[in-house]
Structures are given as structure tokens and as C-alpha cells.
Amino acid sequence: MTTSHETGQVTGTIDKDYNLIWFTEQCLSNTLRMEQYCRDAERQGDSQLAEFFRKAQGESRKGAEQGKALLAQRLSGGNGGRN
């Protein structure tokens, strides 16, 4: 049984890389989820809530773009803080 402190022995991906991949995926997933939440709010005529979710979607999209850029840098051999 593994613990929550898996450091790459099981997955083959060290925590910091796994965390970056996970973060990027979660931001992308949240961007999609916020689209549905916006539609739900708009369907109910709640423009304030729809705008709130649009802003949240924008922040998730921003996080996803930053994560993708950092992943691309690391995958292309850029230093990016790798040891």
C-alpha cells in the first residue's frame, strides 16, 4: 500500500512534475465546468452569477495557460528549476 507521499517510485513522475501536470489539468477541467455553470446561471436569468462564473473561468484559463507554458518549457529541455 502506498502513502499520500508518493515521490515517483510508483508513478515514475516526481511530485513536483506530477503536481504541475495535475494543476494544469484541473485548471482546464475547471474552465470547462465554469462554462456549464455560466449557462445554468444565464438560463435562470441570473446575470450577476453568470458574470461571477465568467471571471472564475478566466482565472482558470489563465492558470491553465501558465501551466501549459511551464510544462512546454520543461519538456523542451528548458531549465525551469529542474534538478
Side-chain angles (χ1 to χ4, degrees):
M1 181 65 63
T2 62
T3 67
S4 62
H5 302 293
E6 201 279 315
T7 58
Q9 291 85 5
V10 175
T11 64
T13 305
I14 57 175
D15 285 350
K16 66 185 181 108
D17 294 337
Y18 176 87
N19 293 345
L20 179 56
I21 293 165
W22 181 90
F23 172 82
T24 304
E25 188 277 332
Q26 289 300 305
C27 286
L28 291 167
S29 178
N30 200 51
T31 299
L32 293 172
R33 184 181 310 270
M34 290 301 108
E35 185 65 27
Q36 184 61 52
Y37 291 177
C38 289
R39 288 182 192 160
D40 290 347
E42 289 167 349
R43 190 171 34 257
Q44 294 296 311
D46 193 334
S47 60
Q48 181 184 31
L49 189 56
E51 179 60 25
F52 173 79
F53 288 133
R54 287 273 177 233
K55 287 180 182 178
Q57 185 182 45
E59 292 301 313
S60 292
R61 187 177 291 118
K62 180 180 172 182
E65 290 302 319
Q66 291 172 338
K68 289 189 310 185
L70 189 52
L71 279 169
Q73 175 187 3
R74 288 168 178 252
L75 290 171
S76 69
N79 184 349
R82 288 191 109 166
N83 293 330

